[in-house]
Amino acid sequence: MSGLLEEEEVRPMRPDGFRFNLGSNAALQTLAASVAAQQAELRASLMATIAPALQQVNLAYKPVMPALTTSDLIRHASAALEPARVLSAWSPKITVPKFTMPTITVPTGMFDVLRGFDWDAFERRIRVPRNWPTAYEQYLPDLVSMVNDEGIPVAWVPRWELLETLLGAPDATARSLLLVKHRAEILHDCEIALDDVSDPSLMPFMSTVRELLSASRYGLWKVAAISAVAITHSIVERLEWVSARQQVKKHHALQESVTLAEVMERATRGPLVLFYDDWNPKSRRPRPTHLTRHVVSHRFGPEQVAERNCVVAVMLLTSLMVTVDQLELISPDESTGSSG
């Protein structure tokens, strides 16, 4: 029996894999008694210190010392070391999650490609309306004049070839004739641009917008224009943009000093300067012949639904809706507001 004890190793009593030979029964009993006394003293000290904290914390525990069951002698040792085993049950087990970092492989030459990328051109392409050339500055003075003075929308529609033709026309009358002459192409451009609109805030308008586009295709431009005026004003109110005649120029006019970051919104706002012009017969001002929301709603006359104005109304609605969609100008939780 003693020979067996001298050759047999007891399973580790520490979790780090340390192993040792217990020697003889007497030695084991002495060791067990010593460990039990030390563990009892340690347990009493620890319990006095940590018991209040343990009552407040729900931790997982596991024994540090496994049961020793390889022989009768080891079972006696296990009984002798019972105080230590009990104490081990109070040893907290803290599990730290394992996070595996993903392996990111960058293709050879990727950083060279990124360094050589034309970021300025990329920014221009995403900030400038799609129907404008990226180098729009040379056209900006003429765009400012046409937008502010004639109320012709230029953001998103019409296509660049037609917009360039409008900019090259000798005067406002020539541009009006061009708008009517090319209204089928302009309508097509409006339909294509509006197909991409997906902003939830604009969805309540889309059914009516599709109907007014359909009306235009069948030649009912006057019906389409009056509907477009109403929807445009509703969206401006939702945006809480200024609509009072005395303030629209300050808030909406397109300027040659416009920055790249502002150009899309300012190009869209520009036609609102004339759109929110008002008129009263007592003012002795000539009755406006350009499209105005106030006159359509309160002083309606046939000049407000002239062919040129009908095309402008559908263009303006398209330009506004696409910009609102692109720039996400309306928050989902915004309530309908009024700007007067």
Side-chain angles (χ1 to χ4, degrees):
M1 185 70 170
S2 61
L4 178 62
L5 286 174
E6 291 174 353
E7 296 175 1
E8 183 179 1
E9 289 186 343
V10 179
R11 303 169 82 184
M13 293 198 297
R14 287 171 46 182
D16 56 5
F18 178 77
R19 300 175 71 87
F20 56 88
N21 190 288
L22 292 178
S24 67
N25 187 33
L28 176 62
Q29 295 295 335
T30 301
L31 174 63
S34 175
V35 170
Q38 294 179 36
Q39 295 290 4
E41 182 181 351
L42 177 59
R43 181 186 180 204
S45 175
L46 288 174
M47 287 298 295
T49 303
I50 69 173
L54 289 174
Q55 292 175 358
Q56 305 298 322
V57 180
N58 183 19
L59 295 174
Y61 304 100
K62 78 170 185 179
V64 174
M65 183 182 297
L68 306 178
T69 59
T70 59
S71 67
D72 291 339
L73 180 59
I74 294 175
R75 282 195 293 273
H76 286 297
S78 179
L81 297 175
E82 177 64 15
R85 189 185 64 79
V86 173
L87 176 62
S88 71
W90 290 93
S91 300
K93 173 191 175 184
I94 302 176
T95 303
V96 179
K98 295 181 179 179
F99 296 96
T100 302
M101 292 299 292
T103 300
I104 301 175
T105 303
V106 179
T108 304
M110 174 62 74
F111 291 109
D112 291 335
V113 172
L114 293 176
R115 281 191 292 268
F117 189 78
D118 191 343
W119 292 105
D120 180 65
F122 176 73
E123 183 182 14
R124 282 174 168 269
R125 190 62 280 163
I126 63 175
R127 289 186 179 277
V128 174
R130 192 164 56 225
N131 62 322
W132 287 24
T134 53
Y136 62 86
E137 285 85 354
Q138 60 179 311
Y139 302 99
L140 196 53
D142 292 332
L143 285 166
V144 167
S145 176
M146 189 169 74
V147 168
N148 294 341
D149 299 340
E150 301 173 39
I152 298 177
V154 295
W156 306 105
V157 292
R159 66 193 68 180
W160 169 243
E161 292 79 9
L162 181 52
L163 180 56
E164 187 177 28
T165 301
L166 289 169
L167 292 172
D171 53 36
T173 300
R175 275 186 283 275
S176 294
L177 293 174
L178 285 170
L179 289 173
V180 175
K181 177 181 178 180
H182 294 281
R183 61 184 171 186
E185 299 160 61
I186 293 172
L187 177 60
H188 178 72
D189 293 343
C190 290
E191 291 172 328
I192 296 299
L194 288 168
D195 277 344
D196 293 333
V197 171
S198 60
D199 192 308
S201 66
L202 298 174
M203 290 304 101
F205 303 109
M206 288 307 298
S207 176
T208 304
V209 170
R210 292 188 184 97
E211 289 188 18
L212 73 85
L213 292 174
S214 179
S216 300
R217 283 197 302 273
Y218 286 102
L220 302 176
W221 281 91
K222 294 180 182 180
V223 174
I226 293 172
S227 299
V229 167
I231 297 174
T232 296
H233 181 60
S234 294
I235 295 173
V236 170
E237 291 282 276
R238 181 77 184 272
L239 291 164
E240 298 186 354
W241 284 356
V242 168
S243 59
R245 179 176 179 269
Q246 296 81 0
Q247 303 175 48
V248 289
K249 186 172 183 179
K250 173 184 176 181
H251 288 271
H252 301 316
L254 180 61
Q255 306 290 341
E256 289 188 41
S257 58
V258 66
T259 65
L260 179 61
E262 302 170 326
V263 68
M264 186 185 297
E265 183 175 333
R266 279 291 176 177
T268 303
R269 284 177 176 246
L272 296 177
V273 174
L274 287 185
F275 181 76
Y276 281 112
D277 189 14
D278 61 16
W279 178 77
N280 189 309
K282 296 179 181 179
S283 68
R284 297 187 179 183
R285 289 174 54 221
R287 185 181 181 91
T289 58
H290 56 266
L291 181 72
T292 71
R293 198 279 310 184
H294 184 269
V295 176
V296 168
S297 301
H298 304 290
R299 305 282 180 178
F300 183 79
E303 69 285 337
Q304 284 299 302
V305 287
E307 290 180 308
R308 178 261 191 203
N309 288 345
C310 290
V311 178
V312 167
V314 176
M315 291 172 66
L316 178 59
L317 174 61
T318 300
S319 179
L320 178 62
M321 292 187 72
V322 176
T323 293
V324 169
D325 178 72
Q326 290 289 317
L327 299 182
E328 298 181 336
L329 296 177
I330 299 179
S331 300
D333 58 347
E334 279 185 332
S335 58
T336 303
S338 176
S339 56

